[in-house]
Amino acid sequence: GEGVQPHTAAAIVELVRQHAEVVDTGPVLSMYSGPDEALLTLDLRFAPDVPAAHAAEVVEAIRAALQQRFPMLKRIHLGLMR
């Protein structure tokens, strides 16, 4: 399957980077599995001073915001960059 369009990938990164705790992202990896259904994998790097519990809260907030703005993203995996 195809991935999301480049402008959609850029919008995804822009949405994620609105969270000051996120200092970097990996590439947007996505694939459509149906006409209105896509999966997304994106690695995030948090600032070193962000506690793990807060990072988990930010990940959930990002996931919810992505699902609201991009309803075709049915499966979202947000990982941590090393």
Side-chain angles (χ1 to χ4, degrees):
E2 294 182 23
V4 297
Q5 296 293 319
H7 67 275
T8 302
I12 288 169
V13 171
E14 182 181 328
L15 186 151
V16 169
R17 295 300 299 271
Q18 289 176 0
H19 294 266
E21 299 90 344
V22 179
V23 297
D24 198 11
T25 67
V28 173
L29 304 175
S30 63
M31 184 175 67
Y32 277 91
S33 56
D36 297 317
E37 186 172 317
L39 62 89
L40 168 71
T41 298
L42 184 63
D43 286 337
L44 311 175
R45 177 172 289 134
F46 284 88
D49 61 337
V50 176
H54 183 60
E57 293 170 356
V58 172
V59 165
E60 288 309 312
I62 290 170
R63 182 177 284 113
L66 287 169
Q67 287 176 326
Q68 181 176 5
R69 179 149 177 214
F70 306 101
M72 78 288 206
L73 296 178
K74 303 297 185 196
R75 295 178 186 251
I76 300 173
H77 173 74
L78 300 172
L80 299 178
M81 293 174 69
R82 294 179 184 215

